[in-house]
PDB file of all heavy atoms in Angstrom:
ATOM      1  N   VAL G  16    -269.610 -25.388  34.130  1.00 98.00           N
ATOM      2  CA  VAL G  16    -270.443 -24.853  33.054  1.00 98.00           C
ATOM      3  C   VAL G  16    -271.236 -23.697  33.646  1.00 98.00           C
ATOM      4  O   VAL G  16    -271.871 -23.848  34.687  1.00 98.00           O
ATOM      5  CB  VAL G  16    -271.382 -25.918  32.477  1.00 98.00           C
ATOM      6  CG1 VAL G  16    -272.274 -25.303  31.397  1.00 98.00           C
ATOM      7  CG2 VAL G  16    -270.592 -27.087  31.911  1.00 98.00           C
ATOM      8  N   TYR G  17    -271.177 -22.557  32.979  1.00 98.00           N
ATOM      9  CA  TYR G  17    -271.861 -21.361  33.447  1.00 98.00           C
ATOM     10  C   TYR G  17    -273.145 -21.168  32.645  1.00 98.00           C
ATOM     11  O   TYR G  17    -273.121 -21.175  31.409  1.00 98.00           O
ATOM     12  CB  TYR G  17    -270.956 -20.142  33.318  1.00 98.00           C
ATOM     13  CG  TYR G  17    -269.911 -20.090  34.406  1.00 98.00           C
ATOM     14  CD1 TYR G  17    -268.865 -21.022  34.439  1.00 98.00           C
ATOM     15  CD2 TYR G  17    -269.969 -19.135  35.422  1.00 98.00           C
ATOM     16  CE1 TYR G  17    -267.925 -20.994  35.459  1.00 98.00           C
ATOM     17  CE2 TYR G  17    -269.036 -19.095  36.442  1.00 98.00           C
ATOM     18  CZ  TYR G  17    -268.011 -20.031  36.455  1.00 98.00           C
ATOM     19  OH  TYR G  17    -267.074 -20.005  37.466  1.00 98.00           O
ATOM     20  N   TYR G  18    -274.255 -20.984  33.383  1.00 98.00           N
ATOM     21  CA  TYR G  18    -275.570 -20.849  32.773  1.00 98.00           C
ATOM     22  C   TYR G  18    -276.167 -19.475  33.088  1.00 98.00           C
ATOM     23  O   TYR G  18    -275.972 -18.939  34.187  1.00 98.00           O
ATOM     24  CB  TYR G  18    -276.525 -21.908  33.310  1.00 98.00           C
ATOM     25  CG  TYR G  18    -276.141 -23.327  32.984  1.00 98.00           C
ATOM     26  CD1 TYR G  18    -275.393 -24.084  33.879  1.00 98.00           C
ATOM     27  CD2 TYR G  18    -276.554 -23.915  31.793  1.00 98.00           C
ATOM     28  CE1 TYR G  18    -275.040 -25.393  33.592  1.00 98.00           C
ATOM     29  CE2 TYR G  18    -276.212 -25.230  31.495  1.00 98.00           C
ATOM     30  CZ  TYR G  18    -275.460 -25.963  32.400  1.00 98.00           C
ATOM     31  OH  TYR G  18    -275.116 -27.252  32.110  1.00 98.00           O
ATOM     32  N   CYS G  19    -276.930 -18.975  32.145  1.00 98.00           N
ATOM     33  CA  CYS G  19    -277.667 -17.736  32.306  1.00 98.00           C
ATOM     34  C   CYS G  19    -279.150 -18.070  32.469  1.00 98.00           C
ATOM     35  O   CYS G  19    -279.720 -18.771  31.624  1.00 98.00           O
ATOM     36  CB  CYS G  19    -277.433 -16.877  31.060  1.00 98.00           C
ATOM     37  SG  CYS G  19    -278.449 -15.425  30.919  1.00 98.00           S
ATOM     38  N   GLY G  20    -279.744 -17.587  33.555  1.00 97.00           N
ATOM     39  CA  GLY G  20    -281.168 -17.768  33.785  1.00 97.00           C
ATOM     40  C   GLY G  20    -281.879 -16.420  33.726  1.00 97.00           C
ATOM     41  O   GLY G  20    -281.316 -15.409  34.145  1.00 97.00           O
ATOM     42  N   ALA G  21    -283.104 -16.413  33.224  1.00 97.00           N
ATOM     43  CA  ALA G  21    -283.863 -15.167  33.112  1.00 97.00           C
ATOM     44  C   ALA G  21    -285.306 -15.381  33.545  1.00 97.00           C
ATOM     45  O   ALA G  21    -285.887 -16.453  33.306  1.00 97.00           O
ATOM     46  CB  ALA G  21    -283.819 -14.645  31.674  1.00 97.00           C
ATOM     47  N   ASP G  22    -285.874 -14.353  34.165  1.00 96.00           N
ATOM     48  CA  ASP G  22    -287.256 -14.434  34.620  1.00 96.00           C
ATOM     49  C   ASP G  22    -287.904 -13.058  34.512  1.00 96.00           C
ATOM     50  O   ASP G  22    -287.264 -12.052  34.815  1.00 96.00           O
ATOM     51  CB  ASP G  22    -287.326 -14.938  36.060  1.00 96.00           C
ATOM     52  CG  ASP G  22    -288.714 -15.391  36.443  1.00 96.00           C
ATOM     53  OD1 ASP G  22    -289.049 -16.574  36.224  1.00 96.00           O
ATOM     54  OD2 ASP G  22    -289.473 -14.536  36.935  1.00 96.00           O
ATOM     55  N   PRO G  23    -289.188 -13.001  34.111  1.00 95.00           N
ATOM     56  CA  PRO G  23    -289.830 -11.688  33.953  1.00 95.00           C
ATOM     57  C   PRO G  23    -290.181 -10.990  35.257  1.00 95.00           C
ATOM     58  O   PRO G  23    -290.467  -9.775  35.246  1.00 95.00           O
ATOM     59  CB  PRO G  23    -291.099 -12.026  33.153  1.00 95.00           C
ATOM     60  CG  PRO G  23    -291.378 -13.456  33.474  1.00 95.00           C
ATOM     61  CD  PRO G  23    -290.034 -14.093  33.638  1.00 95.00           C
ATOM     62  N   ARG G  24    -290.160 -11.697  36.370  1.00 95.00           N
ATOM     63  CA  ARG G  24    -290.509 -11.069  37.637  1.00 95.00           C
ATOM     64  C   ARG G  24    -289.389 -10.175  38.157  1.00 95.00           C
ATOM     65  O   ARG G  24    -288.221 -10.363  37.848  1.00 95.00           O
ATOM     66  CB  ARG G  24    -290.854 -12.152  38.660  1.00 95.00           C
ATOM     67  CG  ARG G  24    -292.133 -12.916  38.320  1.00 95.00           C
ATOM     68  CD  ARG G  24    -292.295 -14.114  39.235  1.00 95.00           C
ATOM     69  NE  ARG G  24    -291.232 -15.098  39.020  1.00 95.00           N
ATOM     70  CZ  ARG G  24    -291.048 -16.152  39.804  1.00 95.00           C
ATOM     71  NH1 ARG G  24    -291.843 -16.339  40.857  1.00 95.00           N
ATOM     72  NH2 ARG G  24    -290.069 -17.001  39.547  1.00 95.00           N
ATOM     73  N   ALA G  25    -289.765  -9.224  38.982  1.00 95.00           N
ATOM     74  CA  ALA G  25    -288.808  -8.246  39.502  1.00 95.00           C
ATOM     75  C   ALA G  25    -287.792  -8.900  40.432  1.00 95.00           C
ATOM     76  O   ALA G  25    -288.096  -9.841  41.162  1.00 95.00           O
ATOM     77  CB  ALA G  25    -289.547  -7.141  40.241  1.00 95.00           C
ATOM     78  N   PHE G  26    -286.595  -8.355  40.403  1.00 95.00           N
ATOM     79  CA  PHE G  26    -285.473  -8.825  41.229  1.00 95.00           C
ATOM     80  C   PHE G  26    -285.875  -8.924  42.693  1.00 95.00           C
ATOM     81  O   PHE G  26    -285.539  -9.896  43.385  1.00 95.00           O
ATOM     82  CB  PHE G  26    -284.328  -7.831  41.031  1.00 95.00           C
ATOM     83  CG  PHE G  26    -283.082  -8.103  41.821  1.00 95.00           C
ATOM     84  CD1 PHE G  26    -282.112  -8.973  41.333  1.00 95.00           C
ATOM     85  CD2 PHE G  26    -282.858  -7.466  43.030  1.00 95.00           C
ATOM     86  CE1 PHE G  26    -280.942  -9.204  42.037  1.00 95.00           C
ATOM     87  CE2 PHE G  26    -281.688  -7.691  43.743  1.00 95.00           C
ATOM     88  CZ  PHE G  26    -280.735  -8.560  43.253  1.00 95.00           C
ATOM     89  N   GLU G  27    -286.608  -7.937  43.171  1.00 94.00           N
ATOM     90  CA  GLU G  27    -286.949  -7.885  44.591  1.00 94.00           C
ATOM     91  C   GLU G  27    -288.059  -8.878  44.967  1.00 94.00           C
ATOM     92  O   GLU G  27    -288.325  -9.075  46.153  1.00 94.00           O
ATOM     93  CB  GLU G  27    -287.428  -6.476  44.960  1.00 94.00           C
ATOM     94  CG  GLU G  27    -286.388  -5.385  44.777  1.00 94.00           C
ATOM     95  CD  GLU G  27    -286.248  -4.936  43.336  1.00 94.00           C
ATOM     96  OE1 GLU G  27    -287.057  -5.342  42.471  1.00 94.00           O
ATOM     97  OE2 GLU G  27    -285.294  -4.178  43.056  1.00 94.00           O
ATOM     98  N   ARG G  28    -288.678  -9.487  43.976  1.00 95.00           N
ATOM     99  CA  ARG G  28    -289.825 -10.344  44.261  1.00 95.00           C
ATOM    100  C   ARG G  28    -289.540 -11.820  44.101  1.00 95.00           C
ATOM    101  O   ARG G  28    -290.448 -12.644  44.248  1.00 95.00           O
ATOM    102  CB  ARG G  28    -290.987  -9.940  43.355  1.00 95.00           C
ATOM    103  CG  ARG G  28    -291.421  -8.493  43.563  1.00 95.00           C
ATOM    104  CD  ARG G  28    -292.715  -8.184  42.865  1.00 95.00           C
ATOM    105  NE  ARG G  28    -293.835  -8.911  43.456  1.00 95.00           N
ATOM    106  CZ  ARG G  28    -295.095  -8.789  43.052  1.00 95.00           C
ATOM    107  NH1 ARG G  28    -295.388  -7.983  42.070  1.00 95.00           N
ATOM    108  NH2 ARG G  28    -296.046  -9.487  43.619  1.00 95.00           N
ATOM    109  N   ILE G  29    -288.305 -12.167  43.783  1.00 95.00           N
ATOM    110  CA  ILE G  29    -287.973 -13.586  43.644  1.00 95.00           C
ATOM    111  C   ILE G  29    -286.780 -13.928  44.528  1.00 95.00           C
ATOM    112  O   ILE G  29    -286.053 -13.042  44.984  1.00 95.00           O
ATOM    113  CB  ILE G  29    -287.655 -13.950  42.183  1.00 95.00           C
ATOM    114  CG1 ILE G  29    -286.399 -13.222  41.681  1.00 95.00           C
ATOM    115  CG2 ILE G  29    -288.843 -13.639  41.282  1.00 95.00           C
ATOM    116  CD1 ILE G  29    -285.942 -13.684  40.309  1.00 95.00           C
ATOM    117  N   ASP G  30    -286.610 -15.201  44.785  1.00 97.00           N
ATOM    118  CA  ASP G  30    -285.400 -15.697  45.442  1.00 97.00           C
ATOM    119  C   ASP G  30    -284.334 -15.829  44.356  1.00 97.00           C
ATOM    120  O   ASP G  30    -284.140 -16.902  43.773  1.00 97.00           O
ATOM    121  CB  ASP G  30    -285.658 -17.035  46.117  1.00 97.00           C
ATOM    122  CG  ASP G  30    -286.610 -16.924  47.283  1.00 97.00           C
ATOM    123  OD1 ASP G  30    -286.635 -15.862  47.922  1.00 97.00           O
ATOM    124  OD2 ASP G  30    -287.344 -17.905  47.559  1.00 97.00           O
ATOM    125  N   TYR G  31    -283.643 -14.738  44.097  1.00 97.00           N
ATOM    126  CA  TYR G  31    -282.777 -14.655  42.923  1.00 97.00           C
ATOM    127  C   TYR G  31    -281.580 -15.603  42.994  1.00 97.00           C
ATOM    128  O   TYR G  31    -280.917 -15.840  41.996  1.00 97.00           O
ATOM    129  CB  TYR G  31    -282.311 -13.222  42.672  1.00 97.00           C
ATOM    130  CG  TYR G  31    -281.600 -12.578  43.833  1.00 97.00           C
ATOM    131  CD1 TYR G  31    -280.288 -12.902  44.140  1.00 97.00           C
ATOM    132  CD2 TYR G  31    -282.238 -11.641  44.619  1.00 97.00           C
ATOM    133  CE1 TYR G  31    -279.635 -12.314  45.206  1.00 97.00           C
ATOM    134  CE2 TYR G  31    -281.597 -11.044  45.694  1.00 97.00           C
ATOM    135  CZ  TYR G  31    -280.297 -11.393  45.980  1.00 97.00           C
ATOM    136  OH  TYR G  31    -279.659 -10.803  47.031  1.00 97.00           O
ATOM    137  N   ASP G  32    -281.271 -16.144  44.162  1.00 97.00           N
ATOM    138  CA  ASP G  32    -280.153 -17.078  44.268  1.00 97.00           C
ATOM    139  C   ASP G  32    -280.608 -18.539  44.181  1.00 97.00           C
ATOM    140  O   ASP G  32    -279.807 -19.449  44.406  1.00 97.00           O
ATOM    141  CB  ASP G  32    -279.367 -16.845  45.554  1.00 97.00           C
ATOM    142  CG  ASP G  32    -280.222 -17.000  46.799  1.00 97.00           C
ATOM    143  OD1 ASP G  32    -281.456 -17.111  46.686  1.00 97.00           O
ATOM    144  OD2 ASP G  32    -279.638 -16.991  47.908  1.00 97.00           O
ATOM    145  N   ASP G  33    -281.872 -18.760  43.857  1.00 98.00           N
ATOM    146  CA  ASP G  33    -282.437 -20.095  43.727  1.00 98.00           C
ATOM    147  C   ASP G  33    -282.662 -20.380  42.242  1.00 98.00           C
ATOM    148  O   ASP G  33    -283.425 -19.669  41.586  1.00 98.00           O
ATOM    149  CB  ASP G  33    -283.765 -20.160  44.484  1.00 98.00           C
ATOM    150  CG  ASP G  33    -284.408 -21.535  44.447  1.00 98.00           C
ATOM    151  OD1 ASP G  33    -283.948 -22.400  43.666  1.00 98.00           O
ATOM    152  OD2 ASP G  33    -285.357 -21.760  45.201  1.00 98.00           O
ATOM    153  N   PRO G  34    -282.032 -21.405  41.685  1.00 97.00           N
ATOM    154  CA  PRO G  34    -282.209 -21.685  40.253  1.00 97.00           C
ATOM    155  C   PRO G  34    -283.662 -21.970  39.879  1.00 97.00           C
ATOM    156  O   PRO G  34    -284.066 -21.741  38.730  1.00 97.00           O
ATOM    157  CB  PRO G  34    -281.305 -22.885  39.996  1.00 97.00           C
ATOM    158  CG  PRO G  34    -281.067 -23.495  41.331  1.00 97.00           C
ATOM    159  CD  PRO G  34    -281.119 -22.368  42.314  1.00 97.00           C
ATOM    160  N   ASN G  35    -284.466 -22.435  40.839  1.00 97.00           N
ATOM    161  CA  ASN G  35    -285.877 -22.722  40.548  1.00 97.00           C
ATOM    162  C   ASN G  35    -286.683 -21.451  40.285  1.00 97.00           C
ATOM    163  O   ASN G  35    -287.825 -21.538  39.819  1.00 97.00           O
ATOM    164  CB  ASN G  35    -286.507 -23.498  41.696  1.00 97.00           C
ATOM    165  CG  ASN G  35    -285.894 -24.875  41.861  1.00 97.00           C
ATOM    166  OD1 ASN G  35    -285.740 -25.614  40.893  1.00 97.00           O
ATOM    167  ND2 ASN G  35    -285.516 -25.214  43.081  1.00 97.00           N
ATOM    168  N   ALA G  36    -286.119 -20.279  40.582  1.00 97.00           N
ATOM    169  CA  ALA G  36    -286.829 -19.023  40.359  1.00 97.00           C
ATOM    170  C   ALA G  36    -286.821 -18.593  38.899  1.00 97.00           C
ATOM    171  O   ALA G  36    -287.554 -17.682  38.519  1.00 97.00           O
ATOM    172  CB  ALA G  36    -286.221 -17.915  41.212  1.00 97.00           C
ATOM    173  N   TYR G  37    -286.013 -19.223  38.069  1.00 97.00           N
ATOM    174  CA  TYR G  37    -285.819 -18.764  36.693  1.00 97.00           C
ATOM    175  C   TYR G  37    -286.514 -19.683  35.706  1.00 97.00           C
ATOM    176  O   TYR G  37    -286.347 -20.910  35.752  1.00 97.00           O
ATOM    177  CB  TYR G  37    -284.325 -18.649  36.382  1.00 97.00           C
ATOM    178  CG  TYR G  37    -283.696 -17.599  37.260  1.00 97.00           C
ATOM    179  CD1 TYR G  37    -283.190 -17.923  38.517  1.00 97.00           C
ATOM    180  CD2 TYR G  37    -283.667 -16.266  36.865  1.00 97.00           C
ATOM    181  CE1 TYR G  37    -282.663 -16.946  39.345  1.00 97.00           C
ATOM    182  CE2 TYR G  37    -283.142 -15.291  37.688  1.00 97.00           C
ATOM    183  CZ  TYR G  37    -282.638 -15.635  38.926  1.00 97.00           C
ATOM    184  OH  TYR G  37    -282.122 -14.671  39.750  1.00 97.00           O
ATOM    185  N   PHE G  38    -287.268 -19.081  34.791  1.00 96.00           N
ATOM    186  CA  PHE G  38    -288.049 -19.852  33.840  1.00 96.00           C
ATOM    187  C   PHE G  38    -287.277 -20.160  32.566  1.00 96.00           C
ATOM    188  O   PHE G  38    -287.449 -21.206  31.953  1.00 96.00           O
ATOM    189  CB  PHE G  38    -289.329 -19.083  33.477  1.00 96.00           C
ATOM    190  CG  PHE G  38    -290.338 -19.913  32.743  1.00 96.00           C
ATOM    191  CD1 PHE G  38    -291.161 -20.788  33.422  1.00 96.00           C
ATOM    192  CD2 PHE G  38    -290.457 -19.818  31.367  1.00 96.00           C
ATOM    193  CE1 PHE G  38    -292.084 -21.565  32.746  1.00 96.00           C
ATOM    194  CE2 PHE G  38    -291.372 -20.578  30.675  1.00 96.00           C
ATOM    195  CZ  PHE G  38    -292.184 -21.458  31.373  1.00 96.00           C
ATOM    196  N   TYR G  39    -286.413 -19.222  32.156  1.00 96.00           N
ATOM    197  CA  TYR G  39    -285.684 -19.379  30.888  1.00 96.00           C
ATOM    198  C   TYR G  39    -284.210 -19.600  31.163  1.00 96.00           C
ATOM    199  O   TYR G  39    -283.617 -18.929  32.016  1.00 96.00           O
ATOM    200  CB  TYR G  39    -285.858 -18.131  30.016  1.00 96.00           C
ATOM    201  CG  TYR G  39    -287.293 -17.821  29.683  1.00 96.00           C
ATOM    202  CD1 TYR G  39    -287.962 -16.783  30.320  1.00 96.00           C
ATOM    203  CD2 TYR G  39    -287.978 -18.571  28.734  1.00 96.00           C
ATOM    204  CE1 TYR G  39    -289.288 -16.495  30.020  1.00 96.00           C
ATOM    205  CE2 TYR G  39    -289.308 -18.289  28.432  1.00 96.00           C
ATOM    206  CZ  TYR G  39    -289.947 -17.260  29.083  1.00 96.00           C
ATOM    207  OH  TYR G  39    -291.251 -16.984  28.784  1.00 96.00           O
ATOM    208  N   TRP G  40    -283.606 -20.535  30.416  1.00 97.00           N
ATOM    209  CA  TRP G  40    -282.195 -20.866  30.600  1.00 97.00           C
ATOM    210  C   TRP G  40    -281.492 -20.972  29.248  1.00 97.00           C
ATOM    211  O   TRP G  40    -282.079 -21.404  28.256  1.00 97.00           O
ATOM    212  CB  TRP G  40    -282.055 -22.212  31.315  1.00 97.00           C
ATOM    213  CG  TRP G  40    -282.438 -22.152  32.751  1.00 97.00           C
ATOM    214  CD1 TRP G  40    -283.650 -22.444  33.305  1.00 97.00           C
ATOM    215  CD2 TRP G  40    -281.595 -21.755  33.841  1.00 97.00           C
ATOM    216  NE1 TRP G  40    -283.624 -22.250  34.651  1.00 97.00           N
ATOM    217  CE2 TRP G  40    -282.374 -21.840  35.022  1.00 97.00           C
ATOM    218  CE3 TRP G  40    -280.269 -21.343  33.945  1.00 97.00           C
ATOM    219  CZ2 TRP G  40    -281.870 -21.520  36.280  1.00 97.00           C
ATOM    220  CZ3 TRP G  40    -279.764 -21.024  35.195  1.00 97.00           C
ATOM    221  CH2 TRP G  40    -280.560 -21.115  36.345  1.00 97.00           C
ATOM    222  N   GLY G  41    -280.222 -20.596  29.243  1.00 97.00           N
ATOM    223  CA  GLY G  41    -279.390 -20.827  28.079  1.00 97.00           C
ATOM    224  C   GLY G  41    -278.757 -22.210  28.148  1.00 97.00           C
ATOM    225  O   GLY G  41    -278.863 -22.891  29.171  1.00 97.00           O
ATOM    226  N   PRO G  42    -278.066 -22.629  27.087  1.00 98.00           N
ATOM    227  CA  PRO G  42    -277.454 -23.960  27.032  1.00 98.00           C
ATOM    228  C   PRO G  42    -276.164 -24.071  27.839  1.00 98.00           C
ATOM    229  O   PRO G  42    -275.687 -25.185  28.085  1.00 98.00           O
ATOM    230  CB  PRO G  42    -277.168 -24.157  25.544  1.00 98.00           C
ATOM    231  CG  PRO G  42    -276.997 -22.771  25.031  1.00 98.00           C
ATOM    232  CD  PRO G  42    -277.930 -21.909  25.815  1.00 98.00           C
ATOM    233  N   GLY G  43    -275.575 -22.925  28.251  1.00 98.00           N
ATOM    234  CA  GLY G  43    -274.363 -22.957  29.059  1.00 98.00           C
ATOM    235  C   GLY G  43    -273.095 -22.771  28.250  1.00 98.00           C
ATOM    236  O   GLY G  43    -273.065 -22.995  27.032  1.00 98.00           O
ATOM    237  N   THR G  44    -272.038 -22.338  28.943  1.00 98.00           N
ATOM    238  CA  THR G  44    -270.717 -22.191  28.341  1.00 98.00           C
ATOM    239  C   THR G  44    -269.677 -22.699  29.342  1.00 98.00           C
ATOM    240  O   THR G  44    -269.749 -22.399  30.525  1.00 98.00           O
ATOM    241  CB  THR G  44    -270.448 -20.725  27.939  1.00 98.00           C
ATOM    242  OG1 THR G  44    -269.202 -20.631  27.243  1.00 98.00           O
ATOM    243  CG2 THR G  44    -270.421 -19.778  29.132  1.00 98.00           C
ATOM    244  N   GLN G  45    -268.728 -23.489  28.849  1.00 98.00           N
ATOM    245  CA  GLN G  45    -267.747 -24.129  29.722  1.00 98.00           C
ATOM    246  C   GLN G  45    -266.616 -23.155  30.061  1.00 98.00           C
ATOM    247  O   GLN G  45    -266.029 -22.530  29.166  1.00 98.00           O
ATOM    248  CB  GLN G  45    -267.170 -25.361  29.039  1.00 98.00           C
ATOM    249  CG  GLN G  45    -266.064 -26.056  29.808  1.00 98.00           C
ATOM    250  CD  GLN G  45    -266.560 -26.756  31.056  1.00 98.00           C
ATOM    251  OE1 GLN G  45    -267.557 -27.482  31.021  1.00 98.00           O
ATOM    252  NE2 GLN G  45    -265.859 -26.564  32.176  1.00 98.00           N
TER     253      GLN G  45
END
């Protein structure tokens, strides 16, 4: 299942490969 995560913080300021960095998530697509 592929999920889209989004966060308002800048790319350079987050651990972008860590799912815990993202506040908003979609329901996923198989």
